[in-house]
Amino acid sequence: MARLPYPSRDAMPVETADLLNGLPRNNITDMLAHAPSLTEPFLRMAQAQFTALELSDRQRELVILAISGLVECDYEYVQHVPISAAAGVDADLRDRVHGGDFDAPDDPGERAMLAFVAAVLRAPRMTDEVFATIRRHLTDRQIVEVLQLVGFYWGVGRMSTMLEL
């Protein structure tokens, strides 16, 4: 049971209700409707992450799986099981990355990316070595995209765990 009640669509601003009524039900966006001014920008950012990144779908999903494990958010993980499978992440790799085995991917670029994600979530600064390694594997744009994914999914994870979605 969630710690806050889900807002009634009848009681929220009509624009927010119309926006949510056009989407499949989702506990995160339903709960976010408590802050209607954030709902549409949140959904636009989420859409961009699935339609406009230079990162591949597989890279995006590996990042999200790592975050879901590092922030201990099973809700986020479960949501991304079918999405990551469609992006080419097999069940063994998915579970290993979620469990914190960031050496699991065969690709050195994917391993560097996951080490970068872990460094971002563990402290406000990272070593020059971790940063130099990610620079060898990702473009500047991709590095910024990973940082934004980390921030976005950290927030989603915390909302999910703190409000027990």
Side-chain angles (χ1 to χ4, degrees):
M1 180 108 197
R3 287 181 157 176
L4 295 177
Y6 290 96
S8 165
R9 293 192 180 185
D10 294 334
M12 64 182 66
V14 102
E15 299 83 17
T16 304
D18 287 347
L19 179 64
L20 294 179
N21 285 335
L23 301 170
R25 296 293 300 221
N26 178 290
N27 290 350
I28 294 167
T29 53
D30 282 356
M31 189 61 73
L32 189 63
H34 277 296
S37 63
L38 300 177
T39 306
E40 185 178 350
F42 173 90
L43 290 169
R44 279 197 312 265
M45 177 69 94
Q47 180 184 29
Q49 292 167 358
F50 283 85
T51 61
L53 297 183
E54 188 175 277
L55 291 169
S56 70
D57 292 349
R58 178 184 170 93
Q59 288 170 315
R60 180 196 65 228
E61 289 305 310
L62 287 171
V63 167
I64 295 167
L65 293 169
I67 296 164
S68 70
L70 289 164
V71 302
E72 300 178 27
C73 184
D74 291 336
Y75 182 86
E76 197 167 62
Y77 173 74
V78 169
Q79 296 295 309
H80 283 270
V81 166
I83 301 167
S84 62
V89 179
D90 66 51
D92 179 61
L93 179 58
R94 180 176 51 247
D95 290 341
R96 289 176 66 191
V97 168
H98 176 71
D101 180 359
F102 301 144
D103 291 326
D106 293 330
D107 181 72
E110 291 177 350
R111 288 194 304 270
M113 183 180 68
L114 294 175
F116 179 73
V117 168
V120 170
L121 285 171
R122 289 187 179 133
R125 304 271 188 274
M126 69 182 59
T127 66
D128 290 340
E129 179 184 356
V130 169
F131 196 74
T133 301
I134 198 62
R135 293 282 317 241
R136 286 194 297 273
H137 295 282
L138 297 181
T139 66
D140 294 351
R141 175 181 170 168
Q142 290 171 322
I143 290 169
V144 171
E145 289 175 353
V146 170
L147 288 168
Q148 288 302 300
L149 284 171
V150 170
F152 185 88
Y153 282 94
W154 179 89
V156 168
R158 280 299 179 256
M159 189 167 78
S160 298
T161 56
M162 296 299 175
L163 297 180
E164 297 182 2
L165 303 185

